[in-house]
Amino acid sequence: MSSQPTAVIHDYVGFDTVSKQMERKFLKRGLNFNIILVGESGMGKTTLVNTIFSGHLVDSHGRKTAQEPLRKTTEIVPTTQVIEENSIRLRLTVVDTPGFGDQTNNEGCWTPAIKYIKDQHAAYLERELKPQRERSINDTRVHACIYFLNPGSKGLRPIDIEVLKRLTEVVNVIPVLAKADSTTIEERIAYKKRIKDELSQHRIQVYPYASEEDDEDDITLNAAIKELCPFAVVGSENVFNVDGNLIRGRQHNWGIINVDNEEHCDFVQLRNFMLRTHLYDLIEVTAQRHYESFRTQQLRQIKELRAAQAQAQNTGHPPMPMQTIMNKQQA
Ligand SMILES: Nc1nc2c(ncn2[C@@H]2O[C@H](COP(=O)(O)OP(=O)(O)OP(=O)(O)O)[C@@H](O)[C@H]2O)c(=O)[nH]1
Ligand SMILES: [Mg+2]
């Protein structure tokens, strides 16, 4: 069989406008970006939510002012804000979770966070499998998980290893060194190195992952991110007036640590990494790696259950509705 010759078109066709078309679709639809915060109790998760949203949430946590002490988080709390930049709409949701680690038995402390992540995958799959699919599904899948490490610990504790192993199977995990203002520069450097070594020793793969599609720029950028990891973060809801400039920070005996100063901590680098340089990749990797593996597993189980049902039907039992099958799998 002879192969078809490939015609070469020399005239300008204009398909390069596709990027403009895609941009217009994006503008219309907007983006959903969802982050979950997980880690030991008292490590500053709720404070970081308030730092990200610039202290607008004081009231939603039952407090009148940022000076009142924060309560321990006892349930999953998603907070959403729509941000618009150059007519691109970003629906940013940050999910706060109850902390763990202060009980003698922390068995299953990861369950609420993992369940939340899987529930969002299941909700997405359910809508995808509807006979009449929606044109665009409201994406509540979790695109990034910020995992808080205790600066007072010598490195990864057994509980961190256990939780991180489970989380990295279902979501893009970004580890952070919590309350970094309680460490000296030397301690931070040593801590970061130890965490990197231990992550590799325990084969815990945190985000970003190397991809065959990476070009030189991606490789350089990801190497810089890997170097910073775990990001040393400081959260604060307090604003100080320093020489006429309002800064968000924490007061110490020796001065004020400025949350937004890249020389004081990595908060700005973390925000830029998630919302500026890797926003789209985090969304894409969630869909292609984490959601895809959830979807494959679920569909395989549905197929197996269906087969078992067909067999049961032969013995006179009615078929089980799809929703019941999916609920059974989630349980
Ligand atoms: N020094 C320092 N203290 C912090 C930082 N972030 C939060 N804190 C303080 O740590 C305490 C606990 O903060 P939370 O934000 O409630 O901690 P959490 O992780 O949400 O705790 P749970 O809700 O119990 O899981 C509060 O007194 C905060 O002001 C930080 O970056 N540095
Ligand atoms: Mg909290």
Side-chain angles (χ1 to χ4, degrees):
M1 213 169 73
S2 67
S3 64
Q4 287 268 321
T6 310
V8 179
I9 302 168
H10 293 289
D11 294 338
Y12 174 70
V13 178
F15 60 80
D16 57 356
T17 61
V18 72
S19 63
K20 279 269 167 286
Q21 296 165 33
M22 285 160 82
E23 203 178 299
R24 265 214 313 277
K25 276 224 178 239
F26 248 19
L27 293 180
K28 265 201 232 149
R29 219 183 281 155
L31 279 172
N32 279 22
F33 188 64
N34 311 308
I35 305 170
I36 197 165
L37 309 185
V38 181
E40 194 182 322
S41 183
M43 283 302 112
K45 297 183 291 301
T46 305
T47 308
L48 197 75
V49 178
N50 287 353
T51 313
I52 293 169
F53 290 111
S54 303
H56 292 307
L57 306 171
V58 169
D59 287 340
S60 67
H61 288 263
R63 297 183 306 154
K64 300 268 182 302
T65 67
Q67 278 67 44
E68 284 179 44
L70 271 170
R71 293 184 199 158
K72 205 171 147 64
T73 310
T74 52
E75 57 181 5
I76 296 225
V77 187
T79 305
T80 302
Q81 205 174 50
V82 178
I83 312 167
E84 201 162 323
E85 269 181 12
N86 292 326
S87 23
I88 301 244
R89 240 178 339 108
L90 178 73
R91 240 178 96 85
L92 174 66
T93 299
V94 181
V95 183
D96 194 6
T97 66
F100 52 78
D102 48 2
Q103 273 133 42
T104 39
N105 181 9
N106 285 301
E107 183 68 33
C109 63
W110 52 83
T111 309
I114 300 269
K115 183 175 179 323
Y116 182 87
I117 295 165
K118 286 193 175 174
D119 281 352
Q120 310 317 308
H121 281 162
Y124 197 92
L125 178 60
E126 197 186 312
R127 293 170 89 161
E128 237 186 11
L129 292 178
K130 270 188 186 170
Q132 292 247 299
R133 272 196 295 173
E134 297 150 57
R135 279 189 62 199
S136 118
I137 300 175
N138 180 32
D139 191 2
T140 61
R141 291 172 298 183
V142 180
H143 303 114
C145 167
I146 301 183
Y147 187 82
F148 287 67
L149 295 163
N150 188 333
S153 68
K154 296 251 179 310
L156 291 180
R157 296 162 311 155
I159 184 77
D160 293 321
I161 297 167
E162 174 102 50
V163 179
L164 281 168
K165 280 192 170 164
R166 286 166 196 270
L167 283 170
T168 47
E169 277 172 18
V170 293
V171 69
N172 298 320
V173 175
I174 302 165
V176 299
L177 164 60
K179 298 186 169 181
D181 52 325
S182 61
T183 59
T184 63
I185 301 284
E186 290 77 24
E187 281 167 350
R188 245 185 241 184
I189 294 169
Y191 192 93
K192 285 186 176 211
K193 181 172 182 323
R194 194 163 53 226
I195 296 296
K196 274 196 266 284
D197 291 347
E198 290 185 357
L199 286 171
S200 126
Q201 184 191 327
H202 292 283
R203 294 204 174 88
I204 296 170
Q205 271 195 302
V206 296
Y207 181 85
Y209 317 112
S211 154
E212 282 171 8
E213 287 171 17
D214 285 348
D215 59 24
E216 245 172 67
D217 288 346
D218 296 325
I219 293 168
T220 313
L221 188 59
N222 286 351
I225 296 296
K226 291 267 177 213
E227 190 54 37
L228 268 180
C229 174
F231 291 84
V233 295
V234 177
S236 171
E237 303 172 275
N238 296 323
V239 175
F240 298 90
N241 191 328
V242 178
D243 303 331
N245 297 318
L246 293 181
I247 62 160
R248 290 186 301 165
R250 298 193 84 89
Q251 175 99 59
H252 285 271
N253 293 341
W254 39 265
I256 294 170
I257 189 148
N258 181 352
V259 168
D260 296 292
N261 185 333
E262 295 182 28
E263 285 172 13
H264 292 193
C265 74
D266 304 332
F267 173 73
V268 171
Q269 287 97 322
L270 173 69
R271 195 181 55 199
N272 286 350
F273 161 54
M274 289 194 306
L275 299 182
R276 199 175 278 181
T277 57
H278 286 67
L279 176 72
Y280 191 72
D281 191 63
L282 280 159
I283 294 175
E284 208 176 50
V285 170
T286 299
Q288 288 174 4
R289 182 177 176 126
H290 302 296
Y291 173 69
E292 199 51 38
S293 102
F294 175 88
R295 185 177 173 276
T296 309
Q297 205 182 351
Q298 294 286 299
L299 294 184
R300 192 177 301 133
Q301 284 177 10
I302 290 174
K303 205 170 151 196
E304 282 165 15
L305 273 165
R306 281 269 188 242
Q309 277 195 311
Q311 229 177 7
Q313 222 177 347
N314 293 338
T315 57
H317 292 288
M320 199 186 285
M322 175 74 88
Q323 187 56 58
T324 319
I325 295 176
M326 289 184 69
N327 289 344
K328 269 178 179 289
Q329 290 179 19
Q330 289 308 305

